[in-house]
Amino acid sequence: LAGNAQYWRGDIAFSQRKDFAASAELFGEGYEKYPEHSKAPEMLYRMGASFDRLNRTDQACGIFALLSEEYPRMPGKLKTAAAKDRRRLDCR
């Protein structure tokens, strides 16, 4: 349950408080502590989205690339969202 709790802490910072620096940190901690958790791909994606909101494009692109490498079998909805963000940010 700790992985779920970490995800939801990050989600609250991202969605409700719009504190993208805190959400990037919380999602990053969650991914590092629970890389095998079912929400790990989502935590990594949301970390990239947090960096995007902070206008830290290079870091966002790096996270989206890592997401594709680490979780090639991530859910289709997540894969589509990450690909769309990578195109929008012109990630290389």
Side-chain angles (χ1 to χ4, degrees), residues 31 40-42 44-45 48 60-76 78-87 91-92:
Y31 165 71
E42 180 78 19
L44 200 54
Y45 172 75
C61 287
I63 294 298
F64 293 142
L66 178 63
L67 174 64
S68 295
E69 291 171 19
E70 292 291 315
Y71 303 102
R73 293 188 176 132
M74 70 184 105
L78 189 58
K79 188 179 282 191
T80 300
K84 182 179 176 182
D85 287 342
R86 288 182 78 179
R87 281 191 305 277
C91 296
R92 310 236 175 235

Side-chain angles (χ1 to χ4, degrees), residues 6-68:
Q6 187 73 23
Y7 172 83
W8 289 111
R9 289 179 64 213
D11 184 66
I12 289 168
F14 186 93
S15 300
Q16 294 179 10
R17 295 187 321 205
K18 309 296 185 211
D19 185 349
F20 303 118
S23 67
E25 185 175 331
L26 289 163
F27 286 128
E29 287 173 3
Y31 165 71
E32 286 183 17
K33 288 180 183 177
Y34 311 104
E36 301 300 320
H37 192 278
S38 63
K39 290 198 181 294
E42 180 78 19
M43 286 190 268
L44 200 54
Y45 172 75
R46 299 289 296 272
M47 182 180 171
S50 298
F51 284 132
D52 177 23
R53 300 298 195 296
L54 293 167
N55 295 315
R56 293 164 63 179
T57 303
D58 288 345
Q59 287 175 298
C61 287
I63 294 298
F64 293 142
L66 178 63
L67 174 64
S68 295

